Amino acid sequence: MMSDIVAIYGSPRRKGNSSTLLKRAVAGARGAGVNVDEIVLRDYKISPCLEIYGCKKEGECAIKDDFQVIRDRILAARGLMIASPIFFYTVSAHVKILMDRFQSLWVKKYWIDQTPFNAWTPTRKGFVISVGATRGKKLFDGMMLTMKYFFDVLDMELWDSLLCRQLDFEGDVETHPEYLEAAYQRGRDFAAAVREG
Ligand SMILES: Cc1cc2nc3c(=O)[nH]c(=O)nc-3n(C[C@H](O)[C@H](O)[C@H](O)COP(=O)(O)O)c2cc1C
């Protein structure tokens, strides 16, 4: 299925804080009339990158599992909304495992096709949602740096991010209607931005 936007749920908790926010963003995007393809990462079997560099030949990952299905769905879309909790100051393991398998596309882009660094045009847009328990200023810095280079591989520009501190237990976000509202509105605005191209 060709979709306008793919929404990736990166928390192991189906009803966790980042999932709740992403669900609101998906509702906002759908309300704006775009197709959204939802992917709950914990429902897929994806091996970590094994660094065998089978991808050196043609940019195709040698490990055959659910990665290929998810990769094709992401590459078919013009926008990506991705939600991750902060785990040890970066993305969740589910998200990181997916990201590392995209090394096959990095190899294609920079080694096989020899695209010069910083000399490509973004063709897609990305929207990041993240939540963490603490309130530190640098809480999202590591995660955002990781996202930046993940988006680079996908020829994607960061459109915006919704970063919410001091959310820990499942359901905590429900006591913050302002976050839920922001997620809905950002989802709606992201849909408009993706449609405009
Ligand atoms: C393995 C693990 C590591 C975590 N590391 C951090 C951390 O480094 N900083 C922080 O503020 N919260 C940390 N947390 C708390 C989560 O970010 C917080 O509970 C968040 O609300 C979970 O989001 P979710 O409900 O979307 O899964 C950690 C939680 C777990 C389970």
Side-chain angles (χ1 to χ4, degrees), residues 119-173:
W120 47 270
T121 355
T123 53
R124 303 189 179 89
K125 290 184 171 64
F127 173 37
V128 173
I129 293 176
S130 189
V131 303
T134 56
R135 36 189 281 203
K137 214 172 129 226
K138 296 185 177 173
L139 181 55
F140 299 105
D141 288 7
M143 181 279 300
M144 285 306 294
L145 196 55
T146 302
M147 285 289 181
K148 177 180 146 97
Y149 288 98
F150 176 53
F151 284 180
D152 174 310
V153 170
L154 296 173
D155 291 336
M156 201 170 265
E157 66 181 341
L158 175 70
W159 174 77
D160 203 1
S161 55
L162 177 64
L163 311 175
C164 302
R165 292 175 169 80
Q166 290 181 280
L167 300 177
D168 200 358
F169 299 106
E170 194 172 281
D172 275 359
V173 74

Side-chain angles (χ1 to χ4, degrees), residues 45-52 55 59-71 94-107 150 153-154:
K45 293 255 177 298
I46 310 176
S47 162
C49 171
L50 299 177
E51 241 185 324
I52 47 180
C55 54
E60 184 63 40
C61 184
I63 309 165
K64 302 299 174 205
D65 57 15
D66 288 341
F67 166 67
Q68 280 77 12
V69 179
I70 294 181
R71 176 199 61 195
H94 288 83
V95 170
K96 190 56 166 54
I97 283 173
L98 176 70
M99 287 174 160
D100 287 354
R101 293 289 297 283
F102 270 95
Q103 177 71 354
S104 49
L105 257 75
W106 190 97
V107 162
F150 176 53
V153 170
L154 296 173

